[in-house]
Amino acid sequence: MAAYGAAVSLKNTIQSLLESSRISLLPHSPEILRSAYDDMCRLQRVLLKLDEMGYSKIRTKVNALDERIKEVVWEFEDLLESHYADQILPQLESKKDRLPFLVEMQSLQQSIDRFIERMTVMEAEYEMELLNMPEEEGEPLSSRIDFRGINSNMVGLSELLEGVRYFLLLGGEGESENADAELKCLLLTGMAGVGKTTLVHKIFDDPSIHRHFEHRAWVKVGRKCESNETLRCILVQVEPNTHDQMLIQREDKDDFEKLVGVLEDRLKDKKCLIVLDDVWQWDTRLMSTLQEKNVRILLTSRLRIEDSPLIAPVRLLDKEESKRLLGAKVFVEKGFPPYLEELGEKIAQKCEGLPLMIVTVADLLRKANEGTGEELNKSTQEYWTEVAETQQSSVFLDAYDQISDVFFPSYDYLPQILKMLFLYLGAFSPYTNIDPHDLMCCVSAEGFCEQIGKKKLDDEVMDGSTTKEYFVFALV
């Protein structure tokens, strides 16, 4: 998945050779290098076609091929750098005051030809894989409406919880039939594992919500869920008589209007709350249908979906909330014993405010303490000290492995240009606060802020960081 970044890196290396005032390329060498440069431009255009693919496409084979392409590009860049370094070093030692350095590339002609040939074959293979990318299999409808396994015990975010609840209860008896759509739909957005689903489930189960809404429906959307499927999932929950009929998967893709008619008849003059969990893209036809009188829609997504009229970001937990959640998950209601409280605070801080990480680490700590009973002995305290003080603790490595499947799609479905930026973050030390403007200065210095299509990398980043956000509690 780093092939795009590898192509940019090789282009920058070649460009620096072609434009350097300290290097004089011998005849025919510039033409030889430009052929490789042009091939990397072509490779970039091919790789960018992945961004046009839908979220429901399975990318396993494409990712594997991307990895192979990256290795081939890196191997050639290493060869190129070694070749000109071997020529420059002797001149540097013998002619310290003489510039420019003379460099020839003709002896690399065959290697460059082989490289371009290999890349041409791999580019064609990549395009073929894109054409043949399989669709992800959708989940059974019965599993999309099953939210019983979601833990609604939540720590922190009380202000957002109250704001969302107020938003849902805002519509009173006198609400206008033509009320604005933005007063009917709210998107809760935030990174994977930040607690969006837990927050929404707590609201969904709230007694005041039960009293206010005559019908409630919960649908896990995911990357592959069509409009018809979503409507059936809603009808199963608001019209029990259709349960068996709606849970049967149909081949008919054209019964949308019929399902809409059944739903409108069922919801007539009745308040309904619809939760669409884990949404990956805005379904215009579905959303325009659902945004009817007396219907409130609550969505969760790890993406910032620009079509949503109202967006509420779900923040990370602060230090105190993180500590409280860790203590509650390890020791239930008792919290930390006094001699583990400081260590618990350090461990919680290493989770960086992400609830999913805190809960996973807590589960590993609890298992390690099994068999100690009520007394947490010296060995337990030593173990916690190791977890708190060691940068690469086995507990955190195990936790990362356990939650990696949750996080991987967030990276996998990034645009190629942003994947490159994400991988660049690996150059920074762990637990480092990274200023976005400093990051862009570093990336620009590396030559990664080149023009891509209609935008540059810094344009992409700044667009994402300045997305207009509306906090739901601002309505209060």
Side-chain angles (χ1 to χ4, degrees):
M1 291 163 288
Y4 188 89
V8 174
S9 177
L10 179 54
K11 280 178 58 179
N12 290 338
T13 297
I14 294 174
Q15 189 169 3
S16 65
L17 287 171
L18 291 171
E19 297 179 355
S20 175
S21 60
R22 299 168 61 86
I23 294 175
S24 177
L25 294 172
L26 296 178
H28 305 298
S29 294
E31 291 78 7
I32 294 171
L33 287 175
R34 285 195 186 97
S35 62
Y37 183 92
D38 292 342
D39 190 68
M40 288 302 95
C41 292
R42 185 168 62 250
L43 174 62
Q44 281 183 284
R45 290 193 292 271
V46 171
L47 294 173
L48 282 172
K49 293 180 180 179
L50 179 64
D51 295 344
E52 301 169 7
M53 300 293 108
Y55 291 120
S56 62
K57 295 289 187 178
I58 299 176
R59 303 188 172 192
T60 307
K61 290 185 177 180
V62 168
N63 291 342
L65 180 56
D66 187 287
E67 189 71 14
R68 285 167 46 205
I69 293 173
K70 176 204 72 176
E71 294 296 335
V72 172
V73 175
W74 279 0
E75 180 183 344
F76 178 76
E77 187 169 12
D78 288 343
L79 173 65
L80 180 61
E81 290 176 340
S82 297
H83 183 76
Y84 72 75
D86 288 344
Q87 297 180 62
I88 290 175
L89 287 176
Q91 298 179 60
L92 188 63
E93 294 172 357
S94 61
K95 304 175 182 179
K96 295 182 180 180
D97 298 327
R98 183 174 177 180
L99 289 176
F101 301 111
L102 300 178
V103 174
E104 63 82 24
M105 290 292 168
Q106 277 191 298
S107 57
L108 272 186
Q109 179 72 69
Q110 288 187 346
S111 296
I112 291 177
D113 291 343
R114 283 196 300 270
F115 170 70
I116 294 175
E117 184 179 342
R118 290 180 69 184
M119 293 311 305
T120 301
V121 171
M122 297 178 87
E123 289 161 12
E125 185 180 352
Y126 191 90
E127 290 193 280
M128 185 60 65
E129 290 294 350
L130 290 180
L131 289 174
N132 296 320
M133 285 175 69
E135 285 275 346
E136 180 182 22
E137 290 187 11
E139 295 184 34
L141 298 189
S142 56
S143 67
R144 292 191 183 277
I145 62 175
D146 184 6
F147 51 86
R148 291 170 295 180
I150 300 172
N151 184 357
S152 59
N153 294 329
M154 192 180 72
V155 172
L157 302 179
S158 58
E159 72 286 353
L160 181 57
L161 178 69
E162 290 303 317
V164 175
R165 182 158 46 199
Y166 179 85
F167 164 79
L168 295 176
L169 301 177
L170 183 63
E173 295 297 330
E175 179 183 276
S176 167
E177 185 172 351
N178 297 318
D180 291 341
E182 69 177 29
L183 296 179
K184 298 175 181 292
C185 177
L186 170 68
L187 170 67
L188 293 174
T189 184
M191 66 182 294
V194 79
K196 303 181 295 295
T197 300
T198 298
L199 173 67
V200 172
H201 188 249
K202 189 171 182 65
I203 293 169
F204 194 78
D205 280 347
D206 187 275
S208 64
I209 298 296
H210 278 253
R211 290 191 298 269
H212 186 79
F213 292 99
E214 295 169 90
H215 294 297
R216 297 174 305 134
W218 180 291
V219 184
K220 180 185 176 185
V221 179
R223 294 198 303 274
K224 182 175 174 59
C225 187
E226 297 179 350
S227 305
N228 291 14
E229 291 182 341
T230 303
L231 286 176
R232 290 195 186 97
C233 288
I234 295 170
L235 281 168
V236 164
Q237 298 168 78
V238 303
E239 178 54 89
N241 294 332
T242 67
H243 185 277
D244 294 337
Q245 177 187 2
M246 292 300 166
L247 285 183
I248 299 174
Q249 292 278 10
R250 296 183 181 179
E251 295 299 326
D252 184 7
K253 303 294 184 182
D254 299 322
D255 60 347
F256 182 83
E257 297 301 328
K258 186 187 301 182
L259 292 170
V260 169
V262 176
L263 183 62
E264 287 179 345
D265 183 66
R266 181 60 179 168
L267 297 183
K268 187 176 181 180
D269 299 326
K270 294 180 180 179
K271 294 185 177 69
C272 180
L273 170 62
I274 297 175
V275 171
L276 303 179
D277 188 33
D278 191 26
V279 175
W280 281 74
Q281 57 188 3
W282 187 264
D283 188 329
T284 301
R285 181 172 71 158
L286 175 67
M287 295 307 298
S288 62
T289 298
L290 295 180
Q291 289 173 307
E292 298 292 340
K293 180 181 177 183
N294 296 329
V295 174
R296 290 289 180 273
I297 308 167
L298 205 53
L299 303 93
T300 72
S301 179
R302 65 182 69 191
L303 306 174
R304 295 178 183 270
I305 302 176
E306 298 298 333
D307 292 314
S308 179
L310 197 62
I311 300 175
V314 181
R315 65 171 175 82
L316 296 169
L317 302 183
D318 61 28
K319 290 182 181 180
E320 185 57 36
E321 292 168 340
S322 298
K323 176 185 172 182
R324 190 149 40 97
L325 178 58
L326 183 68
K329 291 298 181 181
V330 178
F331 302 105
V332 197
E333 297 179 357
K334 294 181 291 185
F336 294 109
Y339 50 92
L340 286 181
E341 188 162 354
E342 184 177 347
L343 293 172
E345 184 174 353
K346 289 182 178 180
I347 292 172
Q349 190 170 347
K350 290 177 70 174
C351 295
E352 301 184 273
L354 187 67
L356 178 60
M357 174 60 79
I358 295 170
V359 170
T360 306
V361 168
D363 185 55
L364 294 170
L365 291 174
R366 187 174 59 251
K367 290 178 180 178
N369 291 336
E370 286 179 356
T372 60
E374 294 295 326
E375 296 183 1
L376 294 169
N377 55 31
K378 184 178 179 180
S379 63
T380 300
Q381 190 170 2
E382 291 175 351
Y383 178 70
W384 279 53
T385 301
E386 186 273 331
V387 175
E389 303 296 341
T390 305
Q391 184 166 324
Q392 296 294 333
S393 166
S394 60
V395 168
F396 278 90
L397 293 176
D398 289 345
Y400 289 135
D401 287 341
Q402 288 188 28
I403 67 177
S404 60
D405 288 344
V406 176
F407 284 101
F408 184 73
S410 295
Y411 170 78
D412 201 17
Y413 290 89
L414 276 176
Q416 293 280 22
I417 192 170
L418 294 182
K419 284 182 184 177
M420 182 176 64
L421 176 64
F422 181 85
L423 292 174
Y424 186 81
L425 295 176
F428 294 86
S429 301
Y431 311 112
T432 300
N433 290 326
I434 304 172
D435 183 272
H437 294 286
D438 292 342
L439 172 63
M440 291 314 302
C441 287
C442 293
V443 174
S444 179
E446 296 281 358
F448 289 138
C449 287
E450 62 175 357
Q451 188 81 22
I452 304 297
K454 296 181 180 179
K455 286 189 175 183
K456 292 170 63 177
L457 175 58
D458 45 357
D459 295 330
E460 288 280 349
V461 174
M462 290 305 110
D463 280 355
S465 64
T466 58
T467 300
K468 192 174 184 181
E469 298 173 348
Y470 299 88
F471 288 82
V472 63
F473 46 83
L475 293 172
V476 180

